[in-house]
Amino acid sequence: MRFVRDYRLTIPAGRDMMQIGYIVQGAARRVCEGRAEQIVPQGHLCAFMYDAPCRMSSDAPVHSHWTVSFSARIDAIPIGEAEAAAFETRREENGALTLVMPESCDGQLAPGGSQTIREIIRVFSAGEGAWRVRCASLILALLSEMSDAAVRMAQLRWPDSLPPSGERYVRRARAYIAEHLSEPLSTRVIAAQLNISEGYLANLFAKNAGMSVTEAVAEARIRRVRLLMDTSGLSLKEAGRAAGLEDEHYLSRQFKRYTGMSARQYRAAHVHFEEEKS
């Protein structure tokens, strides 16, 4: 981190690039072509795409921030707060992760965000061991926390947009699953986190999701495996470990079940990853 006076920075446009930052000191101003000026206060997290040239600056006597940038296949669709309030905090479909991302949010609503950014910087700079896996996992955790914060902010302003309670429990269960894929997961563990019975949770999944909790966990893990293979160049074995699937034979069977192809076939058809660290 550097403390800067008269902070000014021009950022060119870049395809499928995102930046997430935390303003440590001195509010920042962001001006992008074709958009309204955005002020990010001190103590706030911010996220933006490199889809248009923009200028970052600060009028504060001293400015400092932590920031990480990464490349991924990203489709950004603007939505309103009412839609965000009714949105699932995170959803994985066909190997893609769908999130609600705020342009900025109070760091107190995402208390682990700033520390996660610092940890990403530390792991990337060290470049030791399985740094790619660690950085990818940390970025996913950061995105999930910011998405949660965005949905909470929207729900406070639009309480009538909340879905029925049964559906909310299923969404909360899916959110917990997504955040703890590398840990042992069972209907009992998830139900305890939601403070409801195992039987009630199982019935809610059967009614609202058309599957069992165990099937939802397996599906979420394979989606995470696909996401890590697509974005981080990991092998099936490496991605499986990061998603809580240590048994290689079980992993191979589940991967083929949910994707319809072997890992070799999937990599040939889908994965295009730049091996060089940049």
Side-chain angles (χ1 to χ4, degrees), residues 231-244:
T231 60
S232 303
L234 302 183
S235 66
L236 178 65
K237 181 179 179 180
E238 292 170 329
R241 286 179 176 174

Side-chain angles (χ1 to χ4, degrees), residues 6-11 19 29 54-57 65:
D6 192 30
Y7 171 61
R8 300 285 187 274
L9 179 66
T10 299
I11 303 174
Q19 182 179 92
R29 176 187 294 107
C54 68
R55 298 187 306 278
M56 299 290 296
S57 62
H65 64 263

Side-chain angles (χ1 to χ4, degrees), residues 19-40:
Q19 182 179 92
I20 299 177
Y22 177 74
I23 307 303
V24 180
Q25 183 174 346
R29 176 187 294 107
R30 174 175 170 246
V31 180
C32 286
E33 289 185 6
R35 297 180 185 174
E37 177 181 285
Q38 176 191 2
I39 301 296
V40 185

Side-chain angles (χ1 to χ4, degrees), residues 113-187:
S114 62
Q115 294 304 314
T116 302
I117 291 175
R118 294 186 68 183
E119 181 65 5
I120 293 169
I121 294 171
R122 186 194 69 77
V123 172
F124 180 84
S125 299
E128 298 174 349
W131 66 270
R132 292 183 189 275
V133 178
R134 183 62 178 151
C135 282
S137 297
L138 287 167
I139 288 171
L140 289 171
L142 177 61
L143 291 170
S144 292
E145 183 165 10
M146 291 188 68
S147 181
D148 287 344
V151 172
R152 285 197 298 270
M153 287 190 298
Q155 289 176 348
L156 289 173
R157 297 187 178 101
W158 297 85
D160 292 340
S161 297
L162 290 171
S165 60
E167 188 178 341
R168 289 206 300 274
Y169 274 122
V170 171
R171 291 183 179 187
R172 287 173 58 193
R174 288 188 182 279
Y176 181 82
I177 291 169
E179 289 180 351
H180 297 84
L181 287 176
S182 62
E183 304 170 15
L185 289 169
S186 66
T187 305

